[in-house]
Amino acid sequence: MFIFPQKESTAPTTCPDPPSTQDVGSGSGAGECSRKPDQKLYGVGDPIAMFSSGSSYLSSRGSIVKWFWDSAEEGYRTYHMDEYDEDKNPSGIVNLGTSENKLCFDLLSSRLSQSDMLRVEPSLLQYPDWRGHFFLREEVARFLSFYCKSPAPLKPENVVILNGGASVFSALATVLCEVGEAFLIPTPYYGAITQHVYLYGSVRLVYVYLDSEVTGLDTRPFQLTVEKLEVALQGAHSEGVKVKGLVLINPQNPLGDIYSPGELQEYLGFAKRHKLHVIVDEVYMLSVFEESAAYHSVLSLDRLPDPQRTHVMWATSKDFGMSGLRFGTLYTENKDVATAVASLCRYHGLSGLVQYQMAQLLRDHDWINQVYLPENHARLKAAHAYVSEELRALGIPFVSRGAGFFIWADLRKYLSKGTFEEEMLLWRRFLDNKVLLSSGKAFECKEPGWFRFVFSDKAHRLRLGMQRVRQVLEGKSQGAEDPSSSHNQEPSSQHGPGAGPGGHRLRDRTQAAVARAQRHDPVIERGAKQEAAVAEVSAAPNGRARAEKRWAAGSGLLGPLPLESAGRAGYPRAEERVQTRALRETTRCLLPSGPLMNAEVQRKSNPDCDG
């Protein structure tokens, strides 16, 4: 995601004394501060500041829309032209940058293929109520009432159905704001919202900059406070920018933060005092996989401070791994807002057949509660544990709260000067080495060097992706360790083996790399085969014990399967922090990743398209 220049307000800088980040598993800090952090307080986004010229075939508006496409999604387009496939394109790009859940296709395909999902009748093939078929809005109201734990049943007439969360954002921005007005949004944030609110509505964002510094026992990295909201609001007003609303993402993307009921009340109270609309994006509300992470929907609050200006959105893209199906919903008690958004649904609606399928899925609470959610959470937890341990092994601090599909990792020690130019270079080195990540600038993080790692993917792709990450951080190109890289484009000389960012040289480990290269392809192939084999055997009588034997025989591991489900086979055992040492031994068996990172490595980074 390309991020645009903006006006900024700054304060005197000081080097933080306490740790700036935390590793949730071990509580490790970020290390010494080698330079003063940038204390920007807010920024007023100018989405077209760098737009220069348009096309003679397009209107000025059309030229800007095209420019967004040309400049915003380089990494995502590159990935789709060279997508990794274990059989067809093993040297392709592994995507750890796009926030999608790829762990539960087996569960979803089975449920969506059942006979109750297949129905065709005249009303499903005709123009619907633009708000969505009433039968679907009824099911959405029941679904949200149950899973959001609302104190009173939610009403179908307050539900509007659109084709995805992006459309909800776009429609709300268009109907709530005049051209040039703005929403407050805490940063780092899901960067695609910049396009969602600007392309149709020409609405801007005012960034409420959060930082990684921990100032006390009761604070956490990147913590949002009402004081920070007040500073950003007043700063925007001082620059002549009218703010009409506040955007909250809960659970937060990319931090994974979960706002407490008290925090939600404080933010909503701030908005009411200033007569601001609040858009609450709860698209990850069912993707909280840590039992200790208590999630509370804004719809669970006993009393909303300003219900007429509180608008809640949810979609199946994340929680149900259906980002390609395009289903999103808005819940608002404001009849004018609901009607205005519904009017735009003629451009953002769903087919009747898809609406019927969604109603069938959302009403099946038995399947959701007994099959899908427990298994999805367990698989997310296992994948999260694996990537967390890989980052710990590399000595990389990170922020992770047990929600969402991502880990917010601190790679600042790889940036010798701590600039966004270096961040861009590191991001490009990852992409050259066939792994796609999203970096901090894509989320308007004010501190260069943060990256988002998406972990909601199959074990063999995660292992390969993390191996390629390690190669970059150790200063080795993919060609040194990946036999299939002979088909790849050669990375530039500045990124070759032995050359570290910032001019630092790494120790030569060529012989070890060659030895590991011979093991790489069999390991990845074995991971995919193991998952299929374990799933098959576990389904049979006494299948658990037989599956464990097959797992051990196939992977070279000793002991039981990592988790209780066959669907999670392939991840090293990492459920408990006390097992860290055993897990790292397991990781060495599965991932020919070499020694821990060289302390001489300095850093680099940059942005990309988000999920």
Side-chain angles (χ1 to χ4, degrees):
M1 173 60 63
F2 184 84
I3 300 299
F4 308 94
Q6 63 281 325
K7 298 178 182 178
E8 298 160 349
S9 175
T10 61
T13 60
T14 58
C15 190
D17 182 39
S20 63
T21 60
Q22 64 183 26
D23 172 330
V24 174
S26 65
S28 63
E32 297 182 2
C33 176
S34 60
R35 55 190 172 270
K36 295 180 180 180
D38 190 353
Q39 295 295 320
K40 294 181 291 188
L41 301 178
Y42 72 93
V44 179
D46 185 358
I48 59 171
M50 296 184 66
F51 176 75
S52 56
S53 61
S55 167
S56 60
Y57 296 100
L58 299 173
S59 66
S60 58
R61 180 173 51 199
S63 294
I64 291 172
V65 171
K66 177 181 179 295
W67 173 76
F68 263 98
W69 171 265
D70 291 339
S71 60
E73 299 182 350
E74 174 194 353
Y76 193 62
R77 291 197 303 271
T78 301
Y79 161 69
H80 275 292
M81 291 187 292
D82 188 18
E83 186 173 345
Y84 169 81
D85 183 276
E86 47 264 42
D87 297 319
K88 299 177 182 178
N89 189 23
S91 63
I93 296 171
V94 175
N95 187 353
L96 303 184
T98 303
S99 183
E100 291 183 293
N101 187 345
K102 301 176 183 177
L103 292 170
C104 292
F105 176 77
D106 56 334
L107 305 178
L108 294 167
S109 62
S110 175
R111 181 65 189 91
L112 294 174
S113 299
Q114 292 180 16
S115 59
D116 66 321
M117 290 287 178
L118 307 176
R119 182 175 180 178
V120 179
E121 58 183 39
S123 64
L124 299 180
L125 301 181
Q126 297 163 1
Y127 290 125
D129 182 332
W130 294 121
R131 295 170 294 178
H133 281 291
F134 187 73
F135 65 79
L136 176 57
R137 289 187 284 124
E138 279 188 311
E139 290 304 329
V140 168
R142 293 191 190 102
F143 178 90
L144 294 179
S145 297
F146 181 82
Y147 289 102
C148 294
K149 297 181 173 60
S150 62
L154 302 179
K155 300 176 181 179
E157 55 265 32
N158 297 336
V159 174
V160 184
I161 305 298
L162 298 91
N163 59 344
S167 296
V168 179
F169 266 122
S170 179
L172 282 173
T174 301
V175 305
L176 296 180
C177 299
E178 302 292 346
V179 171
E181 293 181 340
F183 290 121
L184 292 175
I185 190 165
T187 75
Y189 72 96
Y190 167 48
I193 295 175
T194 300
Q195 292 187 53
H196 298 344
V197 302
Y198 187 82
L199 288 185
Y200 282 171
S202 297
V203 175
R204 304 165 72 181
L205 296 175
V206 172
Y207 309 128
V208 184
Y209 286 124
L210 310 181
D211 57 67
S212 61
E213 181 179 358
V214 176
T215 57
L217 295 177
D218 296 330
T219 63
R220 62 183 184 270
F222 301 101
Q223 184 170 1
L224 176 64
T225 65
V226 170
E227 290 74 19
K228 294 173 183 177
L229 291 171
E230 292 280 5
V231 168
L233 178 63
Q234 298 309 317
H237 287 170
S238 71
E239 297 186 23
V241 177
K242 186 174 183 179
V243 175
K244 293 293 289 290
L246 166 66
V247 176
L248 297 174
I249 306 172
N250 186 36
Q252 213 271 355
N253 176 8
L255 301 175
D257 257 1
I258 298 173
Y259 297 131
S260 69
E263 288 175 322
L264 287 172
Q265 287 284 9
E266 289 179 2
Y267 307 149
L268 294 174
F270 157 81
K272 181 179 181 180
R273 288 195 300 274
H274 296 284
K275 296 183 179 180
L276 301 178
H277 291 272
V278 183
I279 300 173
V280 186
D281 179 359
E282 298 192 345
V283 73
Y284 291 98
M285 74 173 185
L286 298 182
S287 298
V288 181
F289 54 86
E290 289 290 353
E291 295 83 354
S292 60
Y295 174 74
H296 300 273
S297 167
V298 72
L299 293 174
S300 71
L301 300 179
D302 290 332
R303 181 179 176 277
L304 292 175
D306 192 353
Q308 289 297 304
R309 290 189 176 91
T310 304
H311 319 292
V312 183
M313 52 183 290
W314 179 78
T316 55
S317 298
K318 311 302 182 181
D319 286 339
F320 284 93
M322 298 178 180
S323 52
L325 190 138
R326 311 312 300 145
F327 169 87
T329 185
L330 167 68
Y331 189 86
T332 178
E333 295 185 19
N334 189 307
K335 303 301 182 186
D336 292 341
V337 172
T339 301
V341 170
S343 181
L344 295 175
C345 287
R346 67 182 66 227
Y347 314 115
H348 301 289
L350 281 74
S351 75
L353 300 178
V354 171
Q355 292 193 46
Y356 177 80
Q357 283 187 309
M358 287 297 94
Q360 291 296 101
L361 181 71
L362 297 181
R363 70 163 51 104
D364 192 353
H365 287 198
D366 287 343
W367 178 82
I368 294 172
N369 295 333
Q370 299 172 21
V371 178
Y372 181 75
L373 286 182
E375 186 64 16
N376 183 42
H377 290 167
R379 294 181 187 185
L380 286 171
K381 187 172 183 178
H384 172 269
Y386 171 69
V387 174
S388 296
E389 288 302 328
E390 281 295 294
L391 293 172
R392 290 189 185 105
L394 285 165
I396 295 173
F398 57 89
V399 175
S400 184
R401 310 295 188 195
F405 307 153
F406 28 75
I407 294 173
W408 188 238
D410 181 3
L411 303 187
R412 287 180 291 175
K413 63 186 174 183
Y414 296 95
L415 308 187
S416 60
K417 297 180 180 179
T419 66
F420 284 112
E421 289 76 15
E422 287 182 301
E423 185 180 277
M424 168 68 84
L425 290 175
L426 182 55
W427 173 81
R428 198 168 296 283
R429 288 186 65 209
F430 285 130
L431 191 60
D432 288 345
N433 206 47
K434 300 303 184 74
V435 59
L436 176 63
L437 296 175
S438 296
S439 76
K441 192 60 175 176
F443 304 93
E444 199 54 42
C445 182
K446 72 174 186 177
E447 301 173 3
W450 289 85
F451 280 76
R452 192 188 69 174
F453 286 71
V454 173
F455 57 79
S456 48
D457 205 343
K458 292 291 188 178
H460 59 287
R461 286 194 291 267
L462 283 187
R463 288 196 296 270
L464 179 56
M466 291 307 297
Q467 177 186 10
R468 291 175 178 178
V469 167
R470 182 185 290 263
Q471 289 169 346
V472 171
L473 298 182
E474 292 180 338
K476 293 188 287 285
S477 68
Q478 183 184 346
E481 298 201 20
D482 190 344
S484 62
S485 65
S486 60
H487 303 291
N488 302 340
Q489 181 179 357
E490 288 294 327
S492 60
S493 59
Q494 63 178 324
H495 299 154
H504 292 269
R505 306 294 295 179
L506 299 173
R507 291 176 295 172
D508 185 9
R509 298 192 181 116
T510 304
Q511 292 181 347
V514 171
R516 289 195 300 271
Q518 298 172 356
R519 295 161 45 202
H520 169 64
D521 276 353
V523 168
I524 301 306
E525 180 181 2
R526 188 165 63 235
K529 290 181 177 179
Q530 281 172 222
E531 290 177 358
V534 170
E536 175 186 355
V537 177
S538 295
N542 301 318
R544 173 69 189 176
R546 292 166 57 199
E548 289 180 354
K549 291 180 181 179
R550 184 169 294 193
W551 165 256
S555 66
L557 302 180
L558 300 177
L561 285 170
L563 290 172
E564 286 301 314
S565 168
R568 297 185 290 280
Y571 295 109
R573 188 179 187 88
E575 293 181 270
E576 304 294 338
R577 279 176 276 178
V578 297
Q579 296 175 308
T580 298
R581 181 177 178 183
L583 179 135
R584 287 177 181 167
E585 293 175 358
T586 296
T587 303
R588 294 189 191 104
C589 295
L590 290 177
L591 182 63
S593 54
L596 299 185
M597 68 174 180
N598 190 311
E600 296 178 5
V601 182
Q602 294 299 317
R603 344 145 143 148
K604 298 188 177 180
S605 79
N606 180 342
D608 185 48
C609 170
D610 179 53

